[in-house]
Amino acid sequence: MRIDLHTHSQVSDGTEAPADVVRAAAAAGLDVLALTDHDTAAGWAEAAAAAQEVGIALVPGMEISTQLETVTASGPHRRGVHLLAYLPDPTYPPLAAALGRVLDGRNDRVPAVLARLAGLGIEVAHARVARLAGPTAAMGRPHIADALVDLGVVADRTEAFHRFLNPGRPAYVDRYAAALDDMVRLVVEAGGVAVIAHPWGRHRPDGLGEEQLARLQGIGLSGIEIDHQDHDPDDRERLRAIAADLGLVVTGSSDYHGTGKTDHDLGCNTTHPDEYARLLELAAAAAERAGRSGGWVVGP
Ligand code: AMP
Ligand code: FE
Ligand code: FE
Ligand code: ZN
């Protein structure tokens, strides 16, 4: 059984419609696929229908933008953390409201980034970004990157991030993200399970060491995504030791974005069936405790 639990569609910053991601997953030989668009459940219904058509299992999920504040020897430190939420009830009002704040923060940021670019002499019309973004519910830097490609300023999204959009680059603007602790609690209260996406992405623990992961587990975190392209073999080995120590669920996934991200092909990393089974059990227990149906897995 091949299981990929982290993918994006056009509903956030992937390049294919949810149904096409599901069809591509079936064609790639996957048996279980989670659609985890940024900060939204808007693609679930379409993906579920396609999963039934092609006969694979669809796990409804999302990748929520959060931030974690820690205190270090040199003072307070803030980092972004992407939280994968599987099977939460997206209509649970506190979760829906929290996601709404994140999406508002995304929408507010786009004009601010465009103003920075204009200050650099690069005029990008909001309408161009919106046209290229298509049906997204979660507009973001990747769509601004697409506009820069469209204008011939850069060759691809990667160059746009490196030259303009990454932190420390001239068009970078911060945006609102929910507190990680609050979001872990909300996901569990909504009958879902919470897994930290690529915790050491770009090869740095950056405040997410064993002690912090243990603390987060204490408030409801279920697992960590270890097999991800942003983790090198050494990261993966160290994270596996921590997960074993703490009893965290271990996942592996592609973080597929269609043509929006290279080297993230469907199924390039996968989750072990036993770990997937543990996630489903934890979600069922959370849904039971919460007295909500949570989400649903569609298909076989
Ligand atoms: P945002 O959601 O607007 O904060 O933008 C972050 C998103 O940009 C992430 O979800 C990534 O998928 C994407 N991203 C970040 N760096 C790159 C890159 N170098 N190339 C393509 N996509 C990227
Ligand atoms: Fe993304
Ligand atoms: Fe991510
Ligand atoms: Zn992702």
Side-chain angles (χ1 to χ4, degrees), residues 6-257:
H6 183 169
T7 66
H8 298 264
S9 75
Q10 274 172 355
V11 159
S12 61
D13 59 349
T15 56
E16 295 159 355
D20 291 329
V21 176
V22 172
R23 290 185 197 111
L30 292 169
D31 304 289
V32 179
L33 177 79
L35 183 71
T36 55
D37 277 305
H38 295 287
D39 310 313
T40 180
W44 290 6
E46 182 186 323
Q52 263 169 337
E53 250 173 62
V54 299
I56 67 171
L58 187 274
V59 181
M62 48 186 128
E63 183 180 22
I64 306 173
S65 305
T66 77
Q67 57 189 2
L68 173 65
E69 256 186 57
T70 50
V71 180
T72 67
S74 50
H77 175 71
R78 205 168 61 120
R79 66 160 278 179
V81 176
H82 282 175
L83 187 67
L84 290 162
Y86 298 109
L87 297 152
D89 176 355
T91 68
Y92 175 54
L95 177 62
L99 292 172
R101 283 191 288 276
V102 177
L103 293 173
D104 288 346
R106 289 182 163 281
N107 289 329
D108 292 347
R109 178 168 64 171
V110 175
V113 174
L114 300 185
R116 291 284 178 93
L117 287 169
L120 299 167
I122 303 165
E123 296 291 340
V124 182
H126 193 283
R128 183 184 296 270
V129 181
R131 176 171 57 77
L132 291 164
T136 192
M139 209 187 275
R141 287 175 289 165
H143 306 110
I144 300 172
D146 290 343
L148 291 169
V149 174
D150 193 44
L151 287 165
V153 176
V154 295
D156 54 26
R157 281 186 178 181
T158 301
E159 187 186 344
F161 273 87
H162 287 165
R163 281 178 57 195
F164 301 109
L165 302 174
N166 274 332
R169 305 308 299 161
Y172 179 76
V173 178
D174 202 6
R175 70 172 155 87
Y176 169 81
L180 174 60
D181 287 29
D182 294 347
M183 208 41 106
V184 169
R185 290 194 188 96
L186 282 179
V187 167
V188 176
E189 281 171 25
V193 280
V195 172
I196 293 184
H198 45 73
W200 292 0
R202 320 258 144 70
H203 318 299
R204 292 166 308 142
D206 195 18
L208 269 180
E210 177 154 0
E211 213 174 291
Q212 189 64 237
L213 289 169
R215 189 191 67 77
L216 290 162
Q217 187 180 25
I219 65 168
L221 180 73
S222 288
I224 52 177
E225 180 184 60
I226 295 182
D227 290 304
H228 183 280
Q229 297 302 77
D230 284 357
H231 291 153
D232 65 24
D234 184 51
D235 290 337
R236 296 184 193 201
E237 196 180 317
R238 290 167 62 202
L239 282 165
R240 253 184 256 288
I242 293 174
D245 217 27
L246 299 178
L248 286 167
V249 174
V250 172
T251 70
S253 299
S254 63
D255 202 358
Y256 179 70
H257 280 69

